[in-house]
Amino acid sequence: MNKDIRFPISMDWTKDEIVDVVNFFEIVDQVYSKGAERNTILTLYNYFKKVVPSKAEEKQHFKDYEEQTGQIPYEVIKKAKSSGESIIKV
């Protein structure tokens, strides 16, 4: 992952919430680079959704991340939810 990425986070979040969001975006990067386990992706997305329950806020964070990386978190989640494969790669 490019070290210059500014993860879309809020200063209102706790340290644990920031870790959950960063872990989710790191798994998105991993899916694009080498793939990741479907269950891990969905678990980290669930943690992300606890921090960012609003669909509008989620879309904004996804857009910010995509603009920096070219990686589309929505596609990762969509594929993980619909695929029967144990390893997801985009």
Side-chain angles (χ1 to χ4, degrees), residues 8-25:
I9 59 173
S10 170
M11 297 313 292
D12 295 331
W13 296 341
T14 67
K15 181 179 176 183
D16 289 340
E17 289 172 331
I18 292 170
V19 168
D20 286 343
V21 170
V22 169
N23 285 341
F24 169 71
F25 286 114

Side-chain angles (χ1 to χ4, degrees), residues 3-4 13 18 21 26 28-29 38 42 44 55 69-70 73 80 84:
K3 301 295 183 203
D4 294 334
W13 296 341
I18 292 170
V21 170
E26 286 180 341
V28 169
D29 181 64
R38 178 181 177 272
L42 294 175
L44 292 175
K55 195 66 166 170
T69 66

Side-chain angles (χ1 to χ4, degrees), residues 27-88:
I27 202 75
V28 169
D29 181 64
Q30 184 178 329
V31 168
Y32 273 85
S33 62
K34 60 183 178 182
E37 288 187 21
R38 178 181 177 272
N39 290 339
T40 302
I41 296 165
L42 294 175
T43 297
L44 292 175
Y45 177 64
N46 286 333
Y47 292 156
F48 172 86
K49 286 304 293 176
K50 288 179 181 175
V51 178
V52 184
S54 161
K55 195 66 166 170
E57 187 179 356
E58 174 185 306
K59 286 181 180 182
Q60 186 59 52
H61 289 306
F62 282 9
K63 180 182 175 188
D64 292 347
Y65 180 81
E66 181 182 345
E67 287 174 352
Q68 292 184 68
T69 66
Q71 299 170 349
I72 306 169
Y74 173 78
E75 290 298 323
V76 171
I77 298 309
K78 181 178 169 185
K79 189 168 186 177
K81 285 183 176 180
S82 66
S83 176
E85 301 289 324
S86 60
I87 301 294
I88 305 299

